[in-house]
Amino acid sequence: MRCVIARFPFDLFKDEVEEVMKGIKPETVTGESVLIGRRHYPVKQVGEVITRQDRRDFSAREVTRALTGLGFTCKAAPAPAAPEPVQADWPTSLV
């Protein structure tokens, strides 16, 4: 599949992406992620490997669009956890 990432055209194929990512350890996912094989990779990590460009040169959206087009399952960034309510250690009424 032909796609454009960071203004450069790439011919990407699903089996080639799987082969390239096979020996690479996934980083901790903090944003958007993609499932390749049985591993979840950060989208930016995969983009860096398959394009050989610096992560700052492309957006996660560009890579997500290309990987989704190849048939990979991509997930949005996880929602931030809500802070837990603070419990007071002192009495609330002073009578």
Side-chain angles (χ1 to χ4, degrees), residues 7-60:
R7 299 182 311 272
F8 291 98
F10 292 94
D11 289 317
L12 300 176
F13 300 97
K14 185 173 183 173
D15 57 338
E16 291 178 356
V17 173
E18 290 172 334
E19 187 64 33
V20 169
M21 296 306 294
K22 192 178 283 185
I24 297 178
K25 181 180 176 185
E27 297 172 358
T28 303
V29 175
T30 58
E32 297 179 11
S33 66
V34 59
L35 179 65
I36 300 177
R38 289 183 271 171
R39 295 180 172 181
H40 288 274
Y41 291 90
V43 169
K44 289 282 221 168
Q45 179 185 12
V46 175
E48 183 176 50
V49 172
I50 64 176
T51 65
R52 296 185 183 105
Q53 295 180 0
D54 190 279
R55 296 175 193 207
R56 295 171 291 182
D57 294 340
F58 55 85
S59 69

